[in-house]
Protein backbone atom coordinates (compact mmCIF):
# COMPACT_ATOMS: atom_id res chain seq x y z
CA UNK A 1 0.00 0.00 0.00
CA UNK A 2 2.81 2.42 0.89
CA UNK A 3 4.49 1.83 -2.44
CA UNK A 4 1.22 2.42 -4.27
CA UNK A 5 0.62 5.69 -2.41
CA UNK A 6 4.18 6.73 -3.05
CA UNK A 7 3.92 5.88 -6.75
CA UNK A 8 0.68 7.81 -7.07
CA UNK A 9 2.23 10.95 -5.67
CA UNK A 10 5.51 10.54 -7.58
CA UNK A 11 3.48 10.45 -10.80
CA UNK A 12 3.04 14.21 -10.52
CA UNK A 13 6.79 14.74 -10.85
CA UNK A 14 7.23 12.23 -13.65
CA UNK A 15 4.26 13.33 -15.72
CA UNK A 16 4.60 17.08 -15.35
CA UNK A 17 8.10 17.02 -16.74
CA UNK A 18 6.92 14.90 -19.67
CA UNK A 19 4.58 17.70 -20.69
CA UNK A 20 7.54 19.97 -21.29
CA UNK A 21 10.29 17.49 -22.13
CA UNK A 22 12.22 18.64 -25.13
CA UNK A 23 15.46 20.09 -23.84
CA UNK A 24 18.63 18.80 -22.39
CA UNK A 25 19.83 15.51 -23.69
CA UNK A 26 23.24 14.02 -23.26
CA UNK A 27 23.94 14.69 -26.94
CA UNK A 28 23.02 18.36 -26.91
CA UNK A 29 26.24 19.96 -25.75
CA UNK A 30 26.97 21.71 -22.49
CA UNK A 31 26.99 25.28 -21.30
CA UNK A 32 26.64 28.13 -23.78
CA UNK A 33 26.59 31.89 -23.38
CA UNK A 34 28.72 34.20 -21.27
CA UNK A 35 32.23 33.11 -20.37
CA UNK A 36 33.22 31.33 -17.16
CA UNK A 37 34.10 33.53 -14.16
CA UNK A 38 37.51 35.18 -14.29
CA UNK A 39 38.04 34.98 -10.53
CA UNK A 40 37.01 33.10 -7.38
CA UNK A 41 33.45 33.16 -5.98
CA UNK A 42 32.39 36.42 -4.34
CA UNK A 43 30.21 36.77 -1.26
CA UNK A 44 27.14 38.99 -1.24
CA UNK A 45 24.33 40.02 -3.55
CA UNK A 46 21.04 38.38 -4.37
CA UNK A 47 19.34 36.56 -7.22
CA UNK A 48 15.82 35.64 -8.27
CA UNK A 49 15.31 32.12 -9.61
CA UNK A 50 12.29 31.42 -11.82
CA UNK A 51 10.46 28.10 -11.57
CA UNK A 52 7.83 26.80 -14.00
CA UNK A 53 4.38 27.10 -12.40
CA UNK A 54 3.37 23.69 -13.76
CA UNK A 55 6.22 21.93 -11.97
CA UNK A 56 8.80 23.33 -9.53
CA UNK A 57 6.96 26.65 -9.32
CA UNK A 58 4.02 25.10 -7.49
CA UNK A 59 4.07 24.29 -3.78
CA UNK A 60 0.36 24.50 -2.90
CA UNK A 61 0.60 22.64 0.43
CA UNK A 62 3.66 24.47 1.72
CA UNK A 63 7.23 23.39 2.38
CA UNK A 64 7.06 21.02 5.32
CA UNK A 65 8.89 17.87 4.08
CA UNK A 66 6.16 15.60 5.44
CA UNK A 67 3.13 17.50 4.13
CA UNK A 68 4.41 19.02 0.88
CA UNK A 69 2.60 16.83 -1.64
CA UNK A 70 4.75 18.18 -4.53
CA UNK A 71 8.11 17.77 -2.79
CA UNK A 72 9.62 15.82 -5.69
CA UNK A 73 9.19 18.93 -7.81
CA UNK A 74 10.36 21.36 -5.12
CA UNK A 75 13.88 20.04 -4.52
CA UNK A 76 15.30 23.54 -5.16
CA UNK A 77 13.27 25.22 -2.44
CA UNK A 78 13.60 22.34 0.00
CA UNK A 79 17.38 22.06 -0.30
CA UNK A 80 17.80 25.83 0.09
CA UNK A 81 15.83 25.77 3.37
CA UNK A 82 16.82 22.40 4.82
CA UNK A 83 20.14 21.61 3.15
CA UNK A 84 20.19 17.83 3.04
CA UNK A 85 21.72 14.85 4.78
CA UNK A 86 23.19 13.80 1.42
CA UNK A 87 23.53 15.36 -2.01
CA UNK A 88 24.60 14.42 -5.51
CA UNK A 89 27.90 15.96 -6.62
CA UNK A 90 29.72 15.74 -9.94
CA UNK A 91 32.62 17.22 -11.89
CA UNK A 92 31.74 20.37 -13.85
CA UNK A 93 31.08 18.28 -16.97
CA UNK A 94 28.68 15.99 -15.09
CA UNK A 95 31.08 13.06 -14.86
CA UNK A 96 31.95 11.16 -11.71
CA UNK A 97 28.58 11.81 -10.09
CA UNK A 98 28.11 10.34 -6.62
CA UNK A 99 25.91 10.84 -3.58
CA UNK A 100 28.02 12.12 -0.69
CA UNK A 101 27.32 13.02 2.96
CA UNK A 102 26.38 16.67 3.51
CA UNK A 103 24.73 17.28 6.88
CA UNK A 104 25.43 13.63 7.52
CA UNK A 105 29.04 12.98 8.42
CA UNK A 106 29.19 9.35 7.33
CA UNK A 107 27.16 6.18 6.82
CA UNK A 108 27.60 2.41 6.99
CA UNK A 109 25.68 -0.40 5.29
CA UNK A 110 25.84 -3.45 7.54
CA UNK A 111 24.35 -6.94 7.82
CA UNK A 112 24.33 -7.46 4.08
CA UNK A 113 22.51 -4.20 3.45
CA UNK A 114 19.67 -4.70 5.93
CA UNK A 115 21.08 -2.19 8.44
CA UNK A 116 22.11 1.42 7.74
CA UNK A 117 23.88 3.60 10.29
CA UNK A 118 23.92 7.35 9.54
CA UNK A 119 26.08 9.62 11.68
CA UNK A 120 25.18 13.31 11.81
CA UNK A 121 27.81 16.08 11.86
CA UNK A 122 28.61 17.34 15.31
CA UNK A 123 27.25 20.71 16.44
CA UNK A 124 24.55 21.22 13.79
CA UNK A 125 21.70 23.53 14.79
CA UNK A 126 18.45 24.60 13.20
CA UNK A 127 17.91 28.29 12.56
CA UNK A 128 15.75 28.45 15.72
CA UNK A 129 18.83 27.47 17.72
CA UNK A 130 17.69 23.94 18.62
CA UNK A 131 19.97 20.91 18.10
CA UNK A 132 20.02 19.03 14.81
CA UNK A 133 20.75 15.62 16.34
CA UNK A 134 19.87 11.95 15.94
CA UNK A 135 16.55 12.32 17.75
CA UNK A 136 15.53 15.16 15.43
CA UNK A 137 16.50 13.10 12.39
CA UNK A 138 14.65 9.99 13.61
CA UNK A 139 11.57 12.13 14.32
CA UNK A 140 11.66 13.43 10.74
CA UNK A 141 12.20 9.95 9.29
CA UNK A 142 9.09 8.64 11.07
CA UNK A 143 6.97 11.51 9.76
CA UNK A 144 8.39 11.19 6.25
CA UNK A 145 7.78 7.49 5.64
CA UNK A 146 4.04 7.86 6.33
CA UNK A 147 3.59 11.17 4.53
CA UNK A 148 1.74 12.06 1.30
CA UNK A 149 4.84 13.82 -0.10
CA UNK A 150 5.68 13.03 -3.72
CA UNK A 151 9.08 11.94 -2.46
CA UNK A 152 8.21 9.76 0.54
CA UNK A 153 10.66 6.82 0.56
CA UNK A 154 9.70 3.22 -0.17
CA UNK A 155 11.90 1.73 2.54
CA UNK A 156 11.30 -1.96 3.39
CA UNK A 157 11.36 -1.09 7.10
CA UNK A 158 11.31 -3.72 9.80
CA UNK A 159 9.07 -3.20 12.81
CA UNK A 160 10.57 -0.37 14.88
CA UNK A 161 13.04 0.06 12.03
CA UNK A 162 14.00 3.67 12.88
CA UNK A 163 16.08 3.99 16.06
CA UNK A 164 18.96 6.04 17.47
CA UNK A 165 22.33 5.01 18.87
CA UNK A 166 23.70 7.92 20.85
CA UNK A 167 23.25 11.62 20.13
CA UNK A 168 24.49 11.58 16.53
CA UNK A 169 23.64 8.20 14.98
CA UNK A 170 20.38 7.04 13.41
CA UNK A 171 19.89 3.34 12.61
CA UNK A 172 17.58 2.00 9.89
CA UNK A 173 16.66 -1.69 9.91
CA UNK A 174 15.14 -3.25 6.81
CA UNK A 175 13.37 -6.54 6.19
CA UNK A 176 15.59 -7.15 3.17
CA UNK A 177 18.77 -5.62 1.75
CA UNK A 178 18.35 -2.19 0.17
CA UNK A 179 21.61 -1.21 -1.50
CA UNK A 180 20.16 1.92 -3.14
CA UNK A 181 19.08 3.57 0.13
CA UNK A 182 21.82 6.24 0.19
CA UNK A 183 21.58 7.01 -3.54
CA UNK A 184 17.86 7.56 -3.07
CA UNK A 185 18.20 10.09 -0.24
CA UNK A 186 18.53 13.30 -2.32
CA UNK A 187 15.27 12.44 -4.12
CA UNK A 188 13.23 11.74 -0.99
CA UNK A 189 11.83 13.82 1.85
CA UNK A 190 13.90 11.98 4.46
CA UNK A 191 16.80 14.08 3.19
CA UNK A 192 15.28 17.32 4.51
CA UNK A 193 15.28 17.62 8.29
CA UNK A 194 12.84 20.06 9.90
CA UNK A 195 13.08 21.47 13.41
CA UNK A 196 10.82 19.35 15.68
CA UNK A 197 10.62 22.23 18.17
CA UNK A 198 9.46 24.75 15.57
CA UNK A 199 6.96 22.23 14.20
CA UNK A 200 5.48 21.68 17.65
CA UNK A 201 5.33 25.40 18.43
CA UNK A 202 3.85 26.50 15.12
CA UNK A 203 1.69 23.51 14.28
CA UNK A 204 1.77 21.78 10.90
CA UNK A 205 -0.33 24.33 9.05
CA UNK A 206 1.76 27.35 10.07
CA UNK A 207 5.05 25.46 9.83
CA UNK A 208 4.30 24.67 6.17
CA UNK A 209 4.24 28.44 5.57
CA UNK A 210 7.16 29.26 7.87
CA UNK A 211 9.46 26.22 7.72
CA UNK A 212 12.57 26.01 9.88
CA UNK A 213 15.57 23.96 8.81
CA UNK A 214 19.35 24.05 9.02
CA UNK A 215 20.09 24.77 5.36
CA UNK A 216 22.01 27.66 3.81
CA UNK A 217 19.00 30.00 3.88
CA UNK A 218 16.12 30.83 6.21
CA UNK A 219 12.62 31.91 5.26
CA UNK A 220 11.70 35.60 5.10
CA UNK A 221 8.31 35.19 3.39
CA UNK A 222 6.40 32.44 1.63
CA UNK A 223 3.50 33.00 -0.76
CA UNK A 224 2.34 29.53 -1.78
CA UNK A 225 3.07 28.66 -5.42
CA UNK A 226 4.05 32.27 -6.05
CA UNK A 227 7.15 33.58 -4.28
CA UNK A 228 9.55 32.31 -1.64
CA UNK A 229 12.02 34.85 -0.24
CA UNK A 230 15.06 33.55 1.65
CA UNK A 231 18.03 35.18 3.39
CA UNK A 232 21.45 33.85 4.37
CA UNK A 233 21.62 31.58 7.40
CA UNK A 234 24.53 33.08 9.39
CA UNK A 235 24.89 29.85 11.40
CA UNK A 236 25.19 27.54 8.38
CA UNK A 237 27.60 24.73 9.12
CA UNK A 238 29.88 25.39 6.12
CA UNK A 239 32.19 28.28 6.91
CA UNK A 240 31.96 31.14 4.40
CA UNK A 241 28.77 29.79 2.82
CA UNK A 242 26.29 30.54 1.45
CA UNK A 243 27.70 33.21 -0.85
CA UNK A 244 24.39 34.97 -1.51
CA UNK A 245 22.74 37.34 0.95
CA UNK A 246 19.30 36.70 -0.49
CA UNK A 247 17.69 34.05 -2.68
CA UNK A 248 14.18 34.35 -4.12
CA UNK A 249 12.21 31.64 -5.92
CA UNK A 250 9.43 32.98 -8.12
CA UNK A 251 6.80 31.04 -10.03
CA UNK A 252 6.33 31.83 -13.73
CA UNK A 253 4.04 30.49 -16.43
CA UNK A 254 6.44 28.63 -18.68
CA UNK A 255 9.69 28.61 -20.62
CA UNK A 256 8.98 31.56 -22.94
CA UNK A 257 8.03 34.13 -20.26
CA UNK A 258 10.94 32.92 -18.13
CA UNK A 259 13.41 33.47 -20.96
CA UNK A 260 12.03 36.93 -21.65
CA UNK A 261 12.22 37.81 -17.95
CA UNK A 262 15.89 36.86 -17.87
CA UNK A 263 16.63 38.96 -20.95
CA UNK A 264 14.80 41.89 -19.35
CA UNK A 265 16.83 41.63 -16.15
CA UNK A 266 13.80 40.72 -14.03
CA UNK A 267 15.45 37.51 -12.78
CA UNK A 268 18.86 35.88 -12.91
CA UNK A 269 18.20 32.14 -13.29
CA UNK A 270 15.64 29.65 -14.56
CA UNK A 271 15.48 25.95 -13.78
CA UNK A 272 14.15 23.31 -16.14
CA UNK A 273 13.95 24.76 -19.68
CA UNK A 274 12.45 22.06 -21.89
CA UNK A 275 11.18 23.69 -25.09
CA UNK A 276 13.59 22.69 -27.85
CA UNK A 277 13.23 25.69 -30.21
CA UNK A 278 13.66 28.07 -27.30
CA UNK A 279 16.67 26.16 -26.06
CA UNK A 280 18.32 26.48 -29.45
CA UNK A 281 17.40 30.17 -29.63
CA UNK A 282 18.97 30.82 -26.24
CA UNK A 283 22.14 28.95 -27.18
CA UNK A 284 22.49 30.80 -30.49
CA UNK A 285 21.82 34.23 -28.97
CA UNK A 286 24.59 33.76 -26.42
CA UNK A 287 23.26 36.40 -24.03
CA UNK A 288 22.81 34.03 -21.09
CA UNK A 289 24.43 30.79 -19.93
CA UNK A 290 22.58 27.65 -21.06
CA UNK A 291 23.61 24.46 -19.28
CA UNK A 292 22.09 21.30 -20.73
CA UNK A 293 22.08 18.68 -18.00
CA UNK A 294 22.99 15.00 -18.53
CA UNK A 295 19.95 12.90 -19.41
CA UNK A 296 18.82 10.24 -16.96
CA UNK A 297 15.20 9.47 -18.01
CA UNK A 298 14.28 8.06 -21.44
CA UNK A 299 10.84 8.13 -22.96
CA UNK A 300 9.04 4.79 -22.90
CA UNK A 301 5.93 3.56 -24.72
CA UNK A 302 4.11 1.68 -22.00
CA UNK A 303 1.96 -1.20 -23.24
CA UNK A 304 -0.86 -2.47 -21.04
CA UNK A 305 -0.22 -6.22 -21.07
CA UNK A 306 -3.22 -6.94 -18.84
CA UNK A 307 -5.76 -6.25 -21.60
CA UNK A 308 -6.22 -6.87 -25.31
CA UNK A 309 -4.56 -6.22 -27.65
CA UNK A 310 -1.26 -6.13 -25.71
CA UNK A 311 -1.89 -9.27 -23.70
CA UNK A 312 -0.73 -10.93 -26.95
CA UNK A 313 3.05 -10.66 -27.37
CA UNK A 314 2.65 -10.47 -31.16
CA UNK A 315 0.85 -7.14 -30.78
CA UNK A 316 3.64 -5.83 -28.57
CA UNK A 317 6.29 -7.01 -31.02
CA UNK A 318 4.43 -5.23 -33.83
CA UNK A 319 4.76 -1.96 -31.90
CA UNK A 320 8.50 -2.52 -31.41
CA UNK A 321 9.06 -3.26 -35.10
CA UNK A 322 6.91 -0.30 -36.19
CA UNK A 323 8.76 2.19 -33.94
CA UNK A 324 11.84 4.11 -35.09
CA UNK A 325 12.96 6.48 -32.33
CA UNK A 326 16.21 7.09 -34.21
CA UNK A 327 14.27 8.68 -37.05
CA UNK A 328 12.28 10.78 -34.58
CA UNK A 329 15.49 11.91 -32.90
CA UNK A 330 16.91 13.05 -36.22
CA UNK A 331 13.73 14.35 -37.83
CA UNK A 332 12.31 16.31 -34.91
CA UNK A 333 15.41 17.11 -32.87
CA UNK A 334 18.35 16.92 -35.34
CA UNK A 335 20.11 14.28 -33.30
CA UNK A 336 20.29 16.44 -30.18
CA UNK A 337 19.02 13.70 -27.87
CA UNK A 338 20.40 10.18 -27.46
CA UNK A 339 18.20 7.12 -27.92
CA UNK A 340 18.20 4.44 -25.25
CA UNK A 341 16.93 0.88 -25.57
CA UNK A 342 16.43 0.56 -21.82
CA UNK A 343 15.43 2.45 -18.67
CA UNK A 344 18.71 4.34 -18.19
CA UNK A 345 20.05 7.55 -19.71
CA UNK A 346 23.71 8.42 -20.40
CA UNK A 347 23.84 10.68 -17.32
CA UNK A 348 22.82 7.93 -14.90
CA UNK A 349 24.22 4.79 -13.34
CA UNK A 350 24.48 1.48 -15.20
CA UNK A 351 23.68 2.97 -18.61
CA UNK A 352 23.97 0.82 -21.72
CA UNK A 353 22.79 2.40 -24.94
CA UNK A 354 21.74 -0.87 -26.54
CA UNK A 355 20.15 -4.11 -25.37
CA UNK A 356 21.12 -7.47 -26.82
CA UNK A 357 18.33 -8.85 -28.98
CA UNK A 358 16.29 -5.63 -28.92
CA UNK A 359 13.64 -5.87 -31.72
CA UNK A 360 14.82 -3.80 -34.68
CA UNK A 361 12.76 -1.31 -36.66
CA UNK A 362 11.20 -3.55 -39.31
CA UNK A 363 7.90 -2.25 -40.76
CA UNK A 364 7.48 -5.33 -42.95
CA UNK A 365 7.68 -7.67 -39.95
CA UNK A 366 5.24 -5.37 -38.11
CA UNK A 367 2.79 -5.66 -41.01
CA UNK A 368 3.12 -9.47 -40.95
CA UNK A 369 2.31 -9.55 -37.25
CA UNK A 370 -0.66 -7.23 -37.73
CA UNK A 371 -1.90 -9.60 -40.44
CA UNK A 372 -1.56 -12.59 -38.11
CA UNK A 373 -3.60 -10.72 -35.52
CA UNK A 374 -6.33 -9.88 -38.02
CA UNK A 375 -5.61 -6.18 -37.57
CA UNK A 376 -4.41 -4.02 -34.69
CA UNK A 377 -6.17 -0.94 -33.32
CA UNK A 378 -4.66 0.98 -30.39
CA UNK A 379 -5.02 4.23 -28.50
CA UNK A 380 -1.80 6.05 -27.62
CA UNK A 381 -1.97 8.70 -24.90
CA UNK A 382 0.33 11.21 -23.26
CA UNK A 383 0.21 14.27 -21.05
CA UNK A 384 -0.51 17.51 -22.91
CA UNK A 385 2.70 19.24 -23.93
CA UNK A 386 4.54 20.53 -26.99
CA UNK A 387 7.26 17.92 -27.41
CA UNK A 388 5.32 14.96 -26.00
CA UNK A 389 2.59 15.57 -28.55
CA UNK A 390 5.13 15.93 -31.35
CA UNK A 391 6.67 12.58 -30.49
CA UNK A 392 3.24 10.97 -30.14
CA UNK A 393 2.16 12.24 -33.57
CA UNK A 394 5.37 10.89 -35.11
CA UNK A 395 4.71 7.50 -33.53
CA UNK A 396 1.17 7.53 -34.89
CA UNK A 397 2.55 8.06 -38.41
CA UNK A 398 5.11 5.27 -38.07
CA UNK A 399 2.60 2.81 -36.66
CA UNK A 400 0.00 3.58 -39.32
CA UNK A 401 2.61 2.94 -42.01
CA UNK A 402 2.94 -0.56 -40.52
CA UNK A 403 -0.81 -1.15 -40.82
CA UNK A 404 -1.73 -0.30 -37.23
CA UNK A 405 -4.82 1.84 -36.66
CA UNK A 406 -3.93 4.50 -34.10
CA UNK A 407 -5.97 6.99 -32.12
CA UNK A 408 -3.98 9.55 -30.11
CA UNK A 409 -5.10 11.32 -26.94
CA UNK A 410 -3.57 14.16 -24.92
CA UNK A 411 -4.64 14.26 -21.29
CA UNK A 412 -4.65 16.76 -18.49
CA UNK A 413 -2.82 15.40 -15.46
CA UNK A 414 -5.89 14.44 -13.43
CA UNK A 415 -7.45 12.70 -16.42
CA UNK A 416 -4.24 10.83 -17.15
CA UNK A 417 -4.04 9.58 -13.57
CA UNK A 418 -7.65 8.44 -13.91
CA UNK A 419 -6.79 6.52 -17.08
CA UNK A 420 -3.99 4.66 -15.32
CA UNK A 421 -6.15 3.91 -12.30
CA UNK A 422 -8.94 2.58 -14.49
CA UNK A 423 -6.63 -0.04 -15.98
CA UNK A 424 -8.42 0.35 -19.33
CA UNK A 425 -5.71 2.18 -21.27
CA UNK A 426 -3.83 0.67 -24.25
CA UNK A 427 -0.50 2.51 -24.51
CA UNK A 428 1.06 5.61 -22.95
CA UNK A 429 4.07 7.71 -23.93
CA UNK A 430 5.78 8.48 -20.61
CA UNK A 431 9.24 8.83 -19.05
CA UNK A 432 11.04 6.14 -17.06
CA UNK A 433 14.32 6.20 -15.23
CA UNK A 434 16.38 8.00 -12.63
CA UNK A 435 20.07 8.62 -11.86
CA UNK A 436 19.98 5.38 -9.87
CA UNK A 437 17.39 3.03 -11.40
CA UNK A 438 16.12 2.17 -7.90
CA UNK A 439 15.71 5.79 -6.81
CA UNK A 440 13.01 8.36 -7.46
CA UNK A 441 10.91 7.74 -10.56
CA UNK A 442 13.00 4.72 -11.47
CA UNK A 443 12.34 1.49 -13.31
CA UNK A 444 10.03 0.11 -10.63
CA UNK A 445 7.64 3.02 -11.10
CA UNK A 446 6.84 1.80 -14.62
CA UNK A 447 7.43 -1.94 -14.36
CA UNK A 448 6.85 -3.26 -10.81
CA UNK A 449 3.61 -5.17 -10.41
CA UNK A 450 2.60 -3.22 -7.29
CA UNK A 451 2.89 0.18 -8.99
CA UNK A 452 -0.45 1.63 -10.09
CA UNK A 453 1.25 3.11 -13.16
CA UNK A 454 2.60 -0.04 -14.76
CA UNK A 455 1.35 -2.05 -17.70
CA UNK A 456 3.25 -5.14 -16.59
CA UNK A 457 2.37 -7.78 -14.01
CA UNK A 458 5.31 -10.17 -14.06
CA UNK A 459 6.58 -11.80 -10.83
CA UNK A 460 9.88 -12.75 -12.47
CA UNK A 461 10.57 -9.15 -13.49
CA UNK A 462 9.60 -8.05 -9.96
CA UNK A 463 12.14 -10.51 -8.57
CA UNK A 464 14.85 -9.22 -10.91
CA UNK A 465 14.23 -5.58 -9.97
CA UNK A 466 14.07 -6.36 -6.25
CA UNK A 467 17.33 -8.31 -6.46
CA UNK A 468 19.06 -5.48 -8.29
CA UNK A 469 17.79 -2.96 -5.74
CA UNK A 470 19.16 -5.11 -2.91
CA UNK A 471 22.60 -5.93 -4.34
CA UNK A 472 25.54 -4.12 -2.74
CA UNK A 473 28.20 -4.79 -5.35
CA UNK A 474 27.92 -2.16 -8.14
CA UNK A 475 29.18 -4.52 -10.85
CA UNK A 476 26.61 -7.12 -9.88
CA UNK A 477 23.86 -4.47 -9.77
CA UNK A 478 24.83 -3.32 -13.25
CA UNK A 479 24.61 -6.83 -14.65
CA UNK A 480 21.25 -7.38 -12.98
CA UNK A 481 19.88 -4.21 -14.60
CA UNK A 482 21.31 -5.31 -17.95
CA UNK A 483 19.49 -8.60 -17.48
CA UNK A 484 16.27 -6.78 -16.56
CA UNK A 485 16.54 -4.58 -19.63
CA UNK A 486 16.97 -7.64 -21.82
CA UNK A 487 14.04 -9.38 -20.11
CA UNK A 488 11.80 -6.37 -20.84
CA UNK A 489 12.97 -6.43 -24.45
CA UNK A 490 12.58 -10.20 -24.85
CA UNK A 491 8.97 -9.97 -23.68
CA UNK A 492 8.36 -6.82 -25.75
CA UNK A 493 6.93 -5.05 -22.70
CA UNK A 494 7.73 -1.44 -23.66
CA UNK A 495 9.95 0.15 -26.33
CA UNK A 496 12.24 2.91 -25.07
CA UNK A 497 13.18 6.10 -26.86
CA UNK A 498 14.75 9.53 -26.52
CA UNK A 499 16.53 10.45 -23.30
CA UNK A 500 15.93 13.99 -22.01
CA UNK A 501 16.94 16.29 -19.20
CA UNK A 502 16.08 19.96 -18.72
CA UNK A 503 18.48 22.88 -19.16
CA UNK A 504 19.26 25.61 -16.63
CA UNK A 505 19.67 29.27 -17.60
CA UNK A 506 21.64 31.99 -15.81
CA UNK A 507 22.35 35.61 -16.66
CA UNK A 508 25.86 36.98 -16.94
CA UNK A 509 27.76 37.02 -13.66
CA UNK A 510 25.76 34.24 -11.97
CA UNK A 511 27.49 30.91 -11.36
CA UNK A 512 27.12 27.76 -9.31
CA UNK A 513 27.22 23.92 -9.27
CA UNK A 514 24.25 22.49 -11.14
CA UNK A 515 23.24 25.92 -12.39
CA UNK A 516 26.17 26.68 -14.71
CA UNK A 517 27.83 23.26 -14.38
CA UNK A 518 26.40 19.80 -15.00
CA UNK A 519 24.94 17.51 -12.34
CA UNK A 520 22.75 14.61 -13.52
CA UNK A 521 19.09 15.04 -12.49
CA UNK A 522 18.39 12.66 -9.64
CA UNK A 523 14.63 12.94 -10.24
CA UNK A 524 13.67 15.52 -12.89
CA UNK A 525 15.56 18.77 -12.37
CA UNK A 526 19.20 18.94 -11.35
CA UNK A 527 19.88 19.46 -7.64
CA UNK A 528 21.57 22.88 -7.69
CA UNK A 529 23.96 23.54 -4.77
CA UNK A 530 22.41 26.81 -3.68
CA UNK A 531 24.96 27.37 -0.92
CA UNK A 532 27.67 27.65 -3.61
CA UNK A 533 25.76 29.80 -6.10
CA UNK A 534 27.24 33.29 -6.34
CA UNK A 535 26.93 36.52 -8.25
CA UNK A 536 29.84 38.61 -9.47
CA UNK A 537 29.78 42.27 -8.36
CA UNK A 538 28.29 44.59 -10.98
Amino acid sequence: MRRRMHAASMLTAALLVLAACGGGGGGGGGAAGPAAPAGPPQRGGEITVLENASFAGGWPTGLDPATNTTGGANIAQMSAIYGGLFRLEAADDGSGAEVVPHQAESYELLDGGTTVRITIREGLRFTDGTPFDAEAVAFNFRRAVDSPCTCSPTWPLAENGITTDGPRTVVLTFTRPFAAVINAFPATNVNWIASPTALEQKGEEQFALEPVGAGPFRVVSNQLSSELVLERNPEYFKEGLPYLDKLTFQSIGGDQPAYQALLAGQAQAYEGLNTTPLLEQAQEAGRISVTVQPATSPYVVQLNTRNAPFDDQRAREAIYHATDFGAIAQGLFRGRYPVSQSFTGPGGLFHHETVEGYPAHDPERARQLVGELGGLTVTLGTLKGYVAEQVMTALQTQWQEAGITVQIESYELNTLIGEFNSGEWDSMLQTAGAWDPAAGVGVGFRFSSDSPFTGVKDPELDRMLDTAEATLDPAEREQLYVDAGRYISDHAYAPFGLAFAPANLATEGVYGPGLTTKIPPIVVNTGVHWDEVWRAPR
Side-chain angles (χ1 to χ4, degrees), residues 85 103 118-126 130-141 164-170 193-197 214:
L85 291 171
Q103 290 164 325
I118 300 172
T119 300
I120 312 304
R121 291 184 185 273
E122 189 171 6
L124 292 183
R125 289 193 171 271
F126 297 105
T130 58
F132 183 127
D133 56 15
E135 288 295 340
V137 172
F139 170 83
N140 276 266
F141 283 2
T164 62
D165 183 10
R168 293 199 295 129
T169 300
V170 182
I193 305 303
S195 166
T197 302

Side-chain angles (χ1 to χ4, degrees), residues 236-261:
Y236 186 55
F237 77 98
K238 286 192 170 181
E239 186 176 356
L241 298 179
Y243 292 122
L244 294 170
D245 293 328
K246 184 178 178 182
L247 175 64
T248 299
F249 292 99
Q250 187 171 311
S251 183
I252 196 164
D255 289 352
Q256 184 67 48
Y259 181 55
Q260 294 302 322

